[in-house]
Amino acid sequence: MKGKNTQKNELLSWIVVLFLGLMIAFICKEYVFSPVVVNGASMSPTYEDEDVIIVSKISKIQRFDHIVFRAPDEEDYYIKRVIGLPGDTIEMKDDVLIVNGKKYDESYVKRDSDSEKRVTENFTLEQLTGEKTVPDGYVFVMGDNRLKSYDSRHFGFIPIDDVYGESKVRIYPLNSIKIILNPYEQ
């Protein structure tokens, strides 16, 4: 009889541990972090098509962070780089980013081998959006592959409430990971 109670207690403890583990995993995925697969080339070379990234849902968004957000005109999600925060002025002049009067070197932007070719058209925030500064509650985003990115230059500001999270970790594409089950079969 004592052995039967021990087995019952052992089974019950395993059920409790499994349940708690699943609850913790669910809570973390829903509220703390989540894996996301990159689709497209708008953030190349920073992220490539089919890269897997881990997104933090609790990060405070800062300039130049990579964020995942609900697309403004479809049911999909985009990943882009935050260029402007609320209150910022933004200008692009001769392929140089100017935020609040300060010039930034954008070494992350995909450029062709021909360094003379401009990758970002000249603009001011006001020319694109009619606003002199990024409004409260919004961000201005652009892709790193400026020639192939559909971003705030086209669809305007992104509501901060539509931000899913910030990319924290890049895991290379799943299709590039070779799993060797039997090393002698190579």
Side-chain angles (χ1 to χ4, degrees), residues 42 69 71-74 78-80 141-143 145-156:
S42 72
F69 58 92
D73 52 1
E74 57 184 281
Y78 290 165
I79 181 168
K80 305 290 180 197
V141 298
M142 289 197 292
N145 189 354
R146 299 284 166 77
L147 296 174
K148 295 185 179 181
S149 181
Y150 182 63
D151 52 39
S152 285
R153 295 172 294 166
H154 307 97
F155 51 69

Side-chain angles (χ1 to χ4, degrees), residues 124-143:
T124 65
L125 193 61
E126 189 170 15
Q127 289 170 333
L128 291 179
T129 67
E131 301 281 341
K132 291 185 179 194
T133 63
V134 178
D136 284 340
Y138 293 87
V139 292
F140 185 90
V141 298
M142 289 197 292

Side-chain angles (χ1 to χ4, degrees), residues 42 44 64 81 83 90-99 104-112 114-125 127-128 140-154:
S42 72
S44 177
F64 302 122
R81 186 179 297 271
I83 300 298
I90 301 167
E91 178 181 3
M92 185 64 73
K93 187 172 184 180
D94 297 327
D95 243 2
V96 175
L97 174 66
I98 305 166
V99 179
Y104 288 91
D105 175 38
E106 295 185 288
S107 59
Y108 49 80
V109 171
K110 183 172 186 172
R111 299 184 188 282
D112 292 334
D114 180 10
S115 62
E116 298 299 313
K117 186 177 179 183
R118 180 177 292 171
V119 295
T120 313
E121 72 281 359
N122 289 341
F123 69 83
T124 65
L125 193 61
Q127 289 170 333
L128 291 179
F140 185 90
V141 298
M142 289 197 292
D144 292 355
N145 189 354
R146 299 284 166 77
L147 296 174
K148 295 185 179 181
S149 181
Y150 182 63
D151 52 39
S152 285
R153 295 172 294 166
H154 307 97

